[in-house]
Amino acid sequence: VNVARWGRSVYINIQKFVQFQLTVNVVALIINFVSACVSGSAPLTAVQLLWVNMIMDTLGALALATEPPNDGLMKRPPVGRGTSFITKAMWRNIIGQSIYQLIVLGVLNFYGKQLLGLSGSDATEVLDTVIFNAFVFCQVFNEINSRDIEKINIFVGMFDSWVFPGVVVCTVAFQVIIVEFLGAFASTVPLSWQLWLLCILLGSVSMLVAVVLKNPHMRFCFVADLDEPSEADKKQR
């Protein structure tokens, strides 16, 4: 029984990490590619992408892949050999979160100066820093969303282990250091508290997006299941 619990835990933890990783990759690739084609410059620099990859690969794997098993895992049906590793729920979360992040970053990239009232010689640097900061906080909150692929309450058992909250705190602390003190290295400039609050709020909205994506009664047509509802959905309805 213990072997089965840990086996299921490892399998689901890898699914969580893959969902988180694919979302980060899709958003970073599309926003840089589209911006480079339209304006000739990419909002995320190589150093910033390196930091994002550290969040995604090292810290993300440490946070999501080390969560211990819980008793609810034994209530799940076994996974068949022919079952796709990336489930429909994972695709729903990846596509939904990617669309939200791309909309936010796209609006900031092309209309950010007018919306935020930025002017002066450093307006472009401030806007690029806001885009980078908002992108990172989107990943921080999406990492929390990825703790559970299907359930809305993602805070259950979050503090049973110090690893996940420790990784989140370290990520935010390093992000503050990079933005405020490592400008020459990371191509950033210090931000006002209003812009910091804006970035955090934009990132936190991804948790509301996750509620919509995970709730079968609130899904939009582009993320709706096309086949018969699962037994869990039938019971909930």
Side-chain angles (χ1 to χ4, degrees), residues 157-197:
M158 181 174 175
F159 300 99
D160 291 347
S161 173
W162 63 268
V163 177
F164 191 92
V167 167
V168 173
V169 171
C170 289
T171 301
V172 174
F174 279 118
Q175 179 65 16
V176 173
I177 294 173
I178 288 175
V179 172
E180 296 294 325
F181 305 105
L182 298 180
F185 174 72
S187 301
T188 59
V189 294
L191 299 177
S192 64
W193 69 268
Q194 293 93 338
L195 292 178
W196 271 102
L197 181 60

Side-chain angles (χ1 to χ4, degrees), residues 4-122:
R5 289 175 71 248
W6 277 98
R8 293 187 178 191
S9 177
V10 171
Y11 184 85
I12 293 174
N13 285 347
I14 295 175
Q15 284 184 317
K16 298 175 185 177
F17 173 66
V18 169
Q19 173 183 290
F20 174 64
Q21 187 181 47
L22 286 178
T23 304
V24 178
N25 276 327
V26 168
V27 176
L29 175 64
I30 294 179
I31 191 64
N32 262 14
F33 179 77
V34 173
S35 179
C37 293
V38 175
S39 62
S41 62
L44 301 175
T45 66
V47 174
Q48 293 171 358
L49 287 176
L50 178 62
W51 167 234
V52 171
N53 273 279
M54 287 183 62
I55 298 175
M56 176 183 67
D57 293 333
T58 308
L59 298 179
L62 186 63
L64 295 173
T66 59
E67 291 201 340
N70 55 74
D71 294 334
L73 294 175
M74 300 308 294
K75 299 178 181 179
R76 300 168 63 98
V79 178
R81 292 184 178 181
T83 303
S84 174
F85 178 76
I86 303 180
T87 63
K88 292 181 180 180
M90 292 174 64
W91 280 121
R92 188 168 60 239
N93 294 331
I94 293 170
I95 295 173
Q97 292 290 347
S98 297
I99 290 176
Y100 165 71
Q101 294 184 24
L102 287 172
I103 291 174
V104 170
L105 299 180
V107 170
L108 287 175
N109 187 48
F110 296 108
Y111 304 102
K113 291 182 180 179
Q114 296 88 333
L115 294 175
L116 301 178
L118 301 177
S119 59
S121 58
D122 63 340

